[in-house]
Amino acid sequence: MNLNYENQITALGGMQDTVAMALLNTSKRMMTAVVDFQELLMRYTCALKEIQTKFEVLNTEYNVRFSRNPIVSIKTRLKQSASIVEKLDRMGVEFSTENVEQHLNDVAGVRVICSYLDDIYTIAQALTDQDDVTLLRTKDYIKNPKSNGYRSLHLIVSIPVFFADQKRSMKVEVQIRTVAMDYWAELEHQLKYKQDIPDEREITSELKSCADEMSRIDSRMLELRRRIEECSEIPTEDEILLEKLQRINFSVE
């Protein structure tokens, strides 16, 4: 009887060791996954810095060469961890760093606000023409607005990011729109999350009408700018050089 009891104790100890080892291995895998995910977010953050710098350089160039800035502002955002997990779950895809990179295009996002409609396409072309930028997808919601009136140019691009021991190609979603488009989108986003809105159908219709009106205003402002430019005398090469020399002492924005 004592022998059986000792055997049971030994067996129980062995089971506890097995359970403890399994828990330890599980903990290690979880810690590794957390560290890998943090490193992935770091890479996306660096990709955002790369894209933002590219747009800032283009804006600076246009300021010097053409005396105006086509870009009003540049905003970056990194998708929240909970949103990443939720989106993968909706897609029926298991969460892993590999699946995040493979299946999601909007973890890193850049929103560029421009003054005029033509600036949107000029800046987009200047970005995608760069040797290290690969255009993966284009969705033009300006030429083909969404049913609710939303307008913006969406690009999915891939750029190389250089780290201490490796180079990684990272995907970034780029949204380019005018000030009017951005203003409408921000207000529509706020209203969309309001609960129990009375006359929701009427409000939705009004929002669509506002989007259409803002689009017409964007087109009119572009036409006015072009008319003003056409009326302006074309400067000579000497006049252009003199203007640039006069601006050398000023800080470049």
Side-chain angles (χ1 to χ4, degrees):
M1 189 70 177
N2 291 336
L3 182 60
N4 289 336
Y5 181 74
E6 290 177 359
N7 289 339
Q8 291 175 5
I9 294 297
T10 302
L12 181 59
M15 290 176 59
Q16 290 176 337
D17 290 342
T18 301
V19 171
M21 184 60 67
L23 289 174
L24 179 61
N25 290 334
T26 300
S27 297
K28 286 182 178 180
R29 287 195 298 270
M30 292 177 63
M31 291 174 63
T32 300
V34 169
V35 171
D36 289 345
F37 184 61
Q38 288 300 315
E39 289 186 356
L40 176 63
L41 294 182
M42 176 272 294
R43 292 197 294 270
Y44 277 116
T45 299
C46 293
L48 286 176
K49 292 180 179 180
E50 293 279 354
I51 289 290
Q52 181 174 359
T53 299
K54 287 179 177 296
F55 281 120
E56 289 173 348
V57 168
L58 288 171
N59 209 31
T60 299
E61 178 190 3
Y62 273 77
N63 179 267
V64 172
R65 294 182 60 191
F66 306 111
S67 301
R68 78 178 189 90
N69 293 102
I71 297 176
V72 176
S73 66
I74 304 169
K75 307 173 185 177
T76 63
R77 68 109 184 94
L78 195 65
K79 202 174 189 69
Q80 294 184 350
S81 301
S83 298
I84 293 174
V85 174
E86 180 184 358
K87 188 166 185 177
L88 284 177
D89 185 62
R90 290 201 310 268
M91 298 169 67
V93 177
E94 182 181 357
F95 173 79
S96 69
T97 54
E98 292 80 8
N99 285 338
V100 171
E101 289 193 86
Q102 180 179 352
H103 294 282
L104 300 185
N105 296 324
D106 61 346
V107 176
V110 177
R111 182 176 300 162
V112 180
I113 312 302
C114 293
S115 300
Y116 298 96
L117 276 170
D118 60 342
D119 290 333
I120 293 175
Y121 296 99
T122 298
I123 290 298
Q125 190 66 50
L127 175 70
T128 56
D129 280 347
Q130 296 185 21
D131 293 341
D132 59 343
V133 176
T134 302
L135 178 62
L136 302 177
R137 184 182 303 172
T138 301
K139 287 187 177 181
D140 193 338
Y141 294 114
I142 299 173
K143 295 179 180 177
N144 301 288
K146 290 186 178 182
S147 59
N148 65 347
Y150 175 85
R151 289 169 170 80
S152 183
L153 178 65
H154 289 199
L155 310 174
I156 304 297
V157 300
S158 175
I159 62 165
V161 182
F162 293 85
F163 300 98
D165 58 349
Q166 61 178 317
K167 178 181 75 171
R168 295 292 294 264
S169 293
M170 306 299 299
K171 288 187 289 188
V172 178
E173 181 189 51
V174 179
Q175 299 179 1
I176 312 177
R177 59 181 68 155
T178 63
V179 176
M181 294 174 191
D182 188 59
Y183 172 73
W184 181 91
E186 290 290 341
L187 292 184
E188 192 273 343
H189 179 76
Q190 294 176 21
L191 293 172
K192 186 169 62 176
Y193 287 97
K194 298 289 185 181
Q195 299 297 321
D196 301 324
I197 301 177
D199 303 324
E200 182 175 357
R201 182 175 297 181
E202 181 180 348
I203 290 175
T204 300
S205 177
E206 285 293 324
L207 281 169
K208 173 65 166 56
S209 177
C210 288
D212 294 341
E213 183 62 29
M214 287 182 173
S215 178
R216 287 190 287 270
I217 291 174
D218 268 334
S219 297
R220 290 174 62 187
M221 293 300 295
L222 175 59
E223 179 61 26
L224 285 172
R225 193 203 78 200
R226 286 174 172 170
R227 287 172 60 186
I228 291 172
E229 290 175 345
E230 290 174 358
C231 293
S232 302
E233 294 184 2
I234 300 176
T236 64
E237 291 185 4
D238 289 341
E239 289 173 336
I240 294 174
L241 177 60
L242 179 60
E243 180 184 356
K244 289 183 177 181
L245 287 173
Q246 291 174 336
R247 301 174 68 243
I248 282 179
N249 291 330
F250 291 93
S251 59
V252 177
E253 298 180 354

